[in-house]
Amino acid sequence: MPDVPALTLAANMGAFGAVRWDLAPETEARLQSLLARDDAPAREALAAFARLVKMNDDARDGSFGMNKEEGRISRMGCLSTALEAISARRALADGVHPELHGSLKTDGACAKRYGMHALQQRLKAATPPLPLSVGAVKDKAEVIGRVLLVPTTPPWPTPGLYWRDGTLCLVQQDGRGQVRCYDPAAREWGPTVAMYSRPFPREDLLLKSMSQPGSCYPMGGRDVPLSEDMLDVLPLSSRASLIADLSRGELAPEFNVIEVPADASPVRTRAPTVEELALAARNGGGSASLGEGRFLLHVPKDERSPWLCTAVRPWMCWKLPLESEDYGVRAPMASPDGRWLSYVRIPWGKPDDPEKYPKELVLLPLTPIP
């Protein structure tokens, strides 16, 4: 591709003979020129440049005896800022407007060089208002218990937290194979019982294998070409599952259905329908689906709050401010009837001390999404 800037580094000598690597001036000039344009060839050139950087980083990660963090080209000079600007530009061009303006770095020489403040303003203007009115129900959130560890949730094959028969069931974390369920209507916990009396609803759904790359549950079926960037979101049947493709980054998920035909024909990828997502959510034991299949909960790895994303194109995401800055939110899950949202809140930035900083299980009533 002729417009792709060559990835050229320049050495700057520091004190005591230390060498600091920066982007060469000609590379930065080409990047700045491309970032000032909104046309398709410029976006393709920037995307190719970002792939080039990733390829070099991946090669260095595989090098023996190298400090992986220091060897990452993406951390050299202003390149990390340039890559962030490339991602933001792509979000604007594709009509996918995740709340990147909440995490863009706009201070410092690098941010000024790549126009990050202006990008932040454009992203703010292009992001529609949050469709779920969290403020109206936040005061009704109820802490219903404590957990030692953040429990797994569906679509995990054997979840530690799930819904059954209108109750929220928590597998007891003492290893005794028991479960206890909370009735939100009665606002009380039931007795502790053996897990077989309150089993997770279904186990014959198509899921990515946790231990064997390229394999899926139910075991013994065909291999499915799923990369590490593809995560299970909502199984639909024993031959179809909704997958989040994070190859463009944690903050820009793409949702597609993977279908495994009964015959020997190739595995198919297609867009989901709102109707099939709503049906799968109603028949499951809790899920990421909200708003009758129109929205999905998404939890970026290093973010404090979960995100609410559209399930079908055009993909958009909003930060979901469920808690104050003092807490992080993990394991968010909607009930099958869409009336409740459960999650675990964890003290943010605090040491792992269950007595002083407990992890709390929270239940929040949901209002219908218009």
Side-chain angles (χ1 to χ4, degrees), residues 171-305:
V171 176
Q172 301 302 284
Q173 297 180 336
D174 55 10
R176 298 181 182 180
Q178 296 180 311
V179 64
R180 197 178 183 199
C181 299
Y182 182 84
D183 184 344
R187 299 183 66 181
E188 64 180 14
W189 286 94
T192 300
V193 297
M195 284 182 61
Y196 63 78
S197 70
R198 305 287 288 175
F200 180 62
R202 294 186 63 182
E203 298 180 353
D204 62 338
L205 300 173
L206 181 67
L207 281 172
K208 183 178 176 182
S209 172
M210 307 298 175
S211 58
Q212 300 182 33
S215 298
C216 284
Y217 301 109
M219 298 303 292
R222 294 171 53 187
D223 288 347
V224 180
L226 297 178
S227 72
E228 292 182 357
D229 292 325
M230 296 182 177
L231 305 180
D232 288 303
V233 177
L234 181 60
L236 306 178
S237 70
S238 59
R239 296 192 176 277
S241 186
L242 182 71
I243 299 291
D245 184 353
L246 305 182
S247 58
R248 300 198 317 163
E250 288 271 346
L251 302 185
E254 295 185 3
F255 300 105
N256 293 294
V257 173
I258 300 293
E259 280 189 324
V260 181
D263 55 21
S265 56
V267 174
R268 295 190 293 261
T269 301
R270 63 169 175 82
T273 67
V274 168
E275 292 77 15
E276 67 181 340
L277 300 186
L279 179 62
R282 286 195 295 269
N283 291 336
S287 71
S289 179
L290 289 171
E292 291 294 316
R294 290 176 293 138
F295 299 95
L296 293 165
L297 294 165
H298 173 58
V299 186
K301 188 165 43 179
D302 298 321
E303 293 287 310
R304 186 184 62 79
S305 298

